[in-house]
Amino acid sequence: MNHTFGQVLTMAMAVVGGLGIFMLGMKYMSEGMQAVAGNSLRRMISMVTENRLLATGTGTTVTLLVQSSTISTVIMVGLVNAGLMKLHQAVGFIMGANIGTTITGWVLILQIGRYGLPILGVAALVYIFCKRDRLRFIAMAIMGLGMIFFGLELMKEGVEPLREMEQVRELIQRLAVDNYAGILLCIALGCLLTFIVQSSSAALAILIAAAATGLVPFPIAAAFILGENIGTTITVLIATLGANRNAKRAAYAHVLFNVIGVSWMLLAFPFFVLGVAGAVEWVHGVDPMTMDIADFENPAQYGLVITAAIAVMHTSFNITNTLLFLPFVRSFARLLERVVPEPRAKEVAHLKHLDAKTVDAPGLALEQSRGEVVQMGRGTVKMMDWIRQLAFNGPMDEQMVQKTMHREEVLDNIETEIVAFVTDVLDANLPHSVAEEGRVQLRMAHEYESISDALASVLKCFLKLRELKLELSAAHLRELRDLHDEVATFLGKVTDAYDHRKVFSHREAETISSDITRQVKDSRERYLQLMTDSQIDARLSMTYTTLLTNYRRIKEHTLNAHEAMAGTKAHHRD
């Protein structure tokens, strides 16, 4: 009894230790590959086009580099939540992410498990002693690869003794997939395993470790793979709690895509598995459906064949499912719009609910927070439009006044969230260029929040004039309106430049800023002269000069935002 307990404990330690090293290796490889890919990866995910094939290709590439469909899909949900990706684009991206996550199985076919430790050691030495950023992160990716194979080897060694236990063999025999009840049970177990380890790649590694030792036959492994495709959607679904309707639709797209795919696969399962087995037999000369590890002189050869069969099954299922869905991407998006209808009340985008997962992919996480900064800019531009309508184009609409004030509160909250989010991201191991992007976002979020405060103050000045029943002359109103338009144009130009990553020249920005400053000074001097020549209500004078000061503040913060994205030092002019 003690011997059995000790054996079980040894196996558990090997499996848990191997799984931990494997998952840490996935993390290091992902971070290294993201850092090496750099800005091109973030640009790629932000430039998903209307073309469904390109969206699918982007999803595949991003997931390949992030090494997790869960992380890439959560980031995609965040971009949809921020309004930077349309729903039908997200659907195409999700399909690609499901293909990208199958790469793990193909990597494990390399069968270099025994070399995992020396690969890890050499790469770790390069990572520690090398001073160049790019080489260090390449070494980190290779170090992660070594950890993946070393961890898989440990898991295989831990699982191997289970094959000799009678109780375990009987349990595996009960999981026969010769009927739909057995297939459904295996799918459920695969789903549960993926949800527990929170990674479809880690669940696949456990499955391959068990299959490579002869413990789990190929047909059962094939059914487990289907369950893993469903299990990986649960985390994304949880991530949308508190998200807006489009983010929920994107998450439901991920769930439905996989559930519908597994549903049709249930009907075709026997034929599909036989087809995969036939393809593997054609390449390796062995039928994975009937082979036994005892028939192999070299157990590693058995492991190679069954790992190849699992990889082919995983990839062929996801590619087939994607090909079936591709013609119906827009129809699928419209269906999701009916399933999750428009809300009665206006929603506010947040990113708190995505902190935990997106920080695992810091390079791409900054693309999401960048989207939130863009939305802050768009929010201030909208406030400028609403204030123009309220102050210069007609009577004060109470509903629009409340909407403008509410927008200022929303921008305050989003800035707080961006600061917390980006600070978490900057705690990760990042190359200099990515860290600098994070610092730029912090500066710009602060400037946009300050602009919203100044705009709220502008609106309060106009409300005060109405409350005191004071009116500015037509000439002064015209001057304020022209000033408002100049500042709004400058703000829109800076925001558009940041959104499209096309910074205009610092000289042009300084010229616009100087023109607005001169306009404010001229208006103030003319008003002071008017005060000298005639009697004007002191409250009216105070409010008018406060308006001019606020417009100048907005201009200064807009110039600071431009300098932040242009990489120049901000001027604290206020």
Side-chain angles (χ1 to χ4, degrees), residues 290-342:
T290 57
M291 67 181 187
D292 192 303
I293 194 170
D295 299 331
F296 287 77
E297 293 183 7
N298 182 6
Q301 185 64 25
Y302 175 89
L304 172 63
V305 174
I306 197 164
T307 302
I310 290 172
V312 171
M313 176 67 192
H314 198 193
T315 303
S316 58
F317 163 67
N318 280 286
I319 289 178
T320 304
N321 200 30
T322 297
L323 291 175
L324 290 175
F325 265 86
L326 264 180
F328 309 105
V329 166
R330 291 183 182 273
S331 300
F332 192 40
R334 286 194 292 271
L335 171 64
L336 291 164
E337 288 169 355
R338 293 192 186 97
V339 172
V340 184
E342 295 288 331

Side-chain angles (χ1 to χ4, degrees), residues 218-489:
F218 171 62
I220 293 176
F224 262 78
I225 287 170
L226 299 182
E228 289 173 5
N229 274 269
I230 296 176
T232 194
T233 67
I234 298 175
T235 304
V236 180
L237 203 57
I238 293 173
T240 60
L241 295 176
N244 68 21
R245 66 187 182 280
N246 268 329
K248 287 187 172 71
R249 289 167 179 167
Y252 294 161
H254 193 209
V255 175
L256 287 174
F257 175 71
N258 285 281
V259 170
I260 293 172
V262 170
S263 298
W264 71 254
M265 176 56 80
L266 269 175
L267 302 176
F269 185 79
F271 310 102
F272 203 89
V273 171
L274 285 173
V276 169
V280 173
E281 183 180 9
W282 182 74
V283 174
H284 292 281
V286 184
D287 184 0
M289 295 289 289
T290 57
M291 67 181 187
D292 192 303
I293 194 170
D295 299 331
F296 287 77
E297 293 183 7
N298 182 6
Q301 185 64 25
Y302 175 89
L304 172 63
V305 174
I306 197 164
T307 302
I310 290 172
V312 171
M313 176 67 192
H314 198 193
T315 303
S316 58
F317 163 67
N318 280 286
I319 289 178
T320 304
N321 200 30
T322 297
L323 291 175
L324 290 175
F325 265 86
L326 264 180
F328 309 105
V329 166
R330 291 183 182 273
S331 300
F332 192 40
R334 286 194 292 271
L335 171 64
L336 291 164
E337 288 169 355
R338 293 192 186 97
V339 172
V340 184
E342 295 288 331
R344 294 181 180 178
K346 187 171 178 62
E347 297 174 299
V348 178
H350 293 288
L351 51 92
K352 275 182 178 175
H353 59 282
L354 294 172
D355 282 2
K357 279 292 175 187
T358 50
V359 172
D360 288 340
L364 293 180
L366 284 178
E367 187 59 35
Q368 179 189 330
S369 53
R370 181 183 178 280
E372 294 290 340
V373 175
V374 170
Q375 291 307 307
M376 286 189 75
R378 297 292 180 211
T380 58
V381 171
K382 284 182 180 178
M383 288 180 71
M384 292 289 289
D385 291 342
W386 295 337
I387 289 173
R388 190 187 198 284
Q389 187 171 339
L390 289 167
F392 306 112
N393 291 352
M396 287 284 185
D397 182 333
E398 289 299 332
Q399 188 174 358
M400 186 172 288
V401 169
Q402 294 301 318
K403 184 167 67 170
T404 306
M405 290 301 188
H406 176 65
R407 178 56 58 93
E408 189 273 329
E409 294 174 4
V410 167
L411 292 177
D412 284 349
N413 293 335
I414 292 180
E415 190 224 3
T416 301
E417 294 180 5
I418 288 174
V419 169
F421 182 80
V422 174
T423 301
D424 284 344
V425 172
L426 292 179
D427 285 339
N429 195 355
L430 298 171
H432 175 76
S433 60
V434 178
E436 183 58 32
E437 167 68 17
R439 287 189 282 271
V440 168
Q441 289 180 13
L442 291 175
R443 287 175 60 187
M444 294 200 68
H446 170 71
E447 301 301 342
Y448 279 132
E449 191 276 330
S450 299
I451 289 170
S452 72
D453 288 344
L455 284 169
S457 182
V458 167
L459 181 55
K460 287 175 184 177
C461 286
F462 284 111
L463 291 173
K464 184 178 180 180
L465 289 176
R466 186 184 66 170
E467 180 184 346
L468 297 174
K469 297 182 179 178
L470 297 172
E471 291 185 4
L472 290 164
S473 68
H476 290 131
L477 272 177
R478 186 165 55 253
E479 283 187 356
L480 281 177
R481 184 189 61 206
D482 292 344
L483 177 61
H484 182 102
D485 290 346
E486 288 291 328
V487 174
T489 300

Side-chain angles (χ1 to χ4, degrees), residues 104-166:
T104 304
W106 293 100
V107 171
L108 297 178
I109 287 179
L110 294 175
Q111 294 284 305
I112 57 174
R114 60 180 176 171
Y115 302 113
L117 197 55
I119 290 172
L120 163 59
V122 173
L125 290 173
V126 175
Y127 177 75
I128 291 170
F129 293 110
C130 184
K131 300 301 181 184
R132 292 177 58 186
D133 258 6
R134 185 172 180 82
L135 285 179
R136 288 183 74 246
F137 285 108
I138 290 174
M140 176 189 275
I142 296 172
M143 182 174 67
L145 185 65
M147 294 176 75
I148 286 172
F149 285 106
F150 180 54
L152 184 65
E153 200 68 15
L154 287 178
M155 282 191 283
K156 286 180 182 178
E157 292 175 3
V159 170
E160 194 167 5
L162 291 175
R163 192 161 45 90
E164 307 301 327
M165 295 184 179
E166 186 66 30

